Amino acid sequence: FADAAARNAALRNELTWTFGGKQQRGWYLYDPLLTKTLDTSSDATTVDFAAAVAAWQKRRGLAANGVLDEKPLMAIVSQWQSNRLKSRTPADPSELMTAPPADFYDPGRAEELRQVERNTYAAYKEMIAAAMADRSLNLKSTDKFLKIISSYRSREYQDRLRQQSPNSGRAGLAVNSPHFTGRALDIYVGGSPVDTADANRAIQVNTRAYQWLVRNAERFGFRPYFYEPWHW
């Protein structure tokens, strides 16, 4: 897979593809998710990574050449998208609880914007306890990392956000948002909290907090939205 590794080294930064109506360049922003999906710890430019790509391609019935070009990449993106929360049914008020200010990136966030579905909040607290106990993460209670940026949103509140950001696009503020359920959390992983600019996402995906979530969040019922490193 030496030739495949060489091609991946180039495609990682240069592949042109489209998601959410926006042109993307390269797949370097998704290195942590790719290594998780491909079940490898190898760097994306190595022969071992190319071999992991080939093994994944073979399982999916694709040409097992080890090259992560547009066709296998979009198949992986489809897999990630299929793992997202399917329901957009608004939470019943009885399903929601108000989380304390200390759990939020902005502790001054209004009380009505600190609501979370009860089971989701319990899972979040379990996840934070595990993160605090993981010495490799070295997380302190005073850190902003892994605090909640946004949780439950009413449809009316989401509509106001869309009006304030008319160019958010399909990959941005959804018309039917999983936040309506109270089971989707935006979690602080570094950089500017919810900025989709490539430069900002490059900061986020390289933080220990984000990489810890990629490795561990699913144990607590959380799955990533690949395009937004903060959205779980």
Side-chain angles (χ1 to χ4, degrees):
F1 293 108
D3 289 344
R7 288 193 63 191
N8 287 338
L11 292 168
R12 180 176 177 269
N13 296 295
E14 298 174 3
L15 179 68
T16 299
W17 54 291
T18 301
F19 175 76
K22 297 180 180 179
Q23 189 175 81
Q24 314 295 317
R25 188 170 180 84
W27 40 260
Y28 64 95
L29 292 170
Y30 311 110
D31 282 355
L33 288 177
L34 286 167
T35 54
K36 171 74 171 176
T37 300
L38 299 171
D39 193 24
T40 180
S41 59
S42 300
D43 183 271
T45 62
T46 64
V47 169
D48 287 344
F49 181 87
V53 171
W56 186 91
Q57 290 169 321
K58 185 176 181 179
R59 292 194 297 273
R60 288 290 174 134
L62 301 173
N65 58 14
V67 177
L68 193 55
D69 53 18
E70 186 173 11
K71 186 173 182 178
L73 177 63
M74 296 312 297
I76 290 175
V77 167
S78 294
Q79 178 179 328
W80 290 339
Q81 290 288 85
S82 71
N83 288 332
R84 294 188 65 196
L85 189 64
K86 303 296 191 298
S87 172
R88 299 293 190 273
T89 303
D92 186 273
S94 65
E95 299 173 324
L96 300 171
M97 53 84 63
T98 302
D103 286 327
F104 282 77
Y105 177 80
D106 174 12
R109 193 168 176 83
E111 183 172 323
E112 63 269 21
L113 299 179
R114 288 189 280 108
Q115 296 183 89
V116 189
E117 191 272 330
R118 295 177 184 279
N119 293 330
T120 301
Y121 181 70
Y124 169 75
K125 294 299 286 186
E126 287 183 22
M127 184 168 71
I128 295 305
M132 293 290 293
D134 191 331
R135 293 184 179 180
S136 69
L137 190 54
N138 195 29
L139 190 67
K140 299 178 177 62
S141 59
T142 55
D143 286 343
K144 290 287 190 181
F145 285 110
L146 303 187
K147 298 289 187 181
I148 301 171
I149 302 163
S150 180
S151 50
Y152 169 74
R153 300 178 197 157
S154 67
R155 185 176 295 277
E156 294 75 19
Y157 181 72
Q158 184 81 352
D159 287 345
R160 289 199 299 273
L161 291 179
R162 287 183 61 82
Q163 291 168 7
Q164 294 164 13
S165 303
N167 297 318
S168 62
R170 287 185 294 140
L173 293 164
V175 175
N176 292 304
S177 172
H179 283 283
F180 296 163
T181 68
R183 294 188 285 143
L185 299 180
D186 291 342
I187 297 174
Y188 185 66
V189 293
S192 180
V194 292
D195 184 351
T196 58
D198 286 359
N200 185 62
R201 294 191 294 150
I203 292 170
Q204 293 175 322
V205 300
N206 283 293
T207 64
R208 284 184 295 180
Y210 176 75
Q211 293 177 7
W212 189 91
L213 287 175
V214 169
R215 294 192 303 270
N216 295 281
E218 193 165 359
R219 291 194 286 128
F220 304 94
F222 292 96
R223 289 176 173 173
Y225 175 29
F226 84 100
Y227 188 75
E228 298 176 346
W230 57 85
H231 185 87
W232 296 80

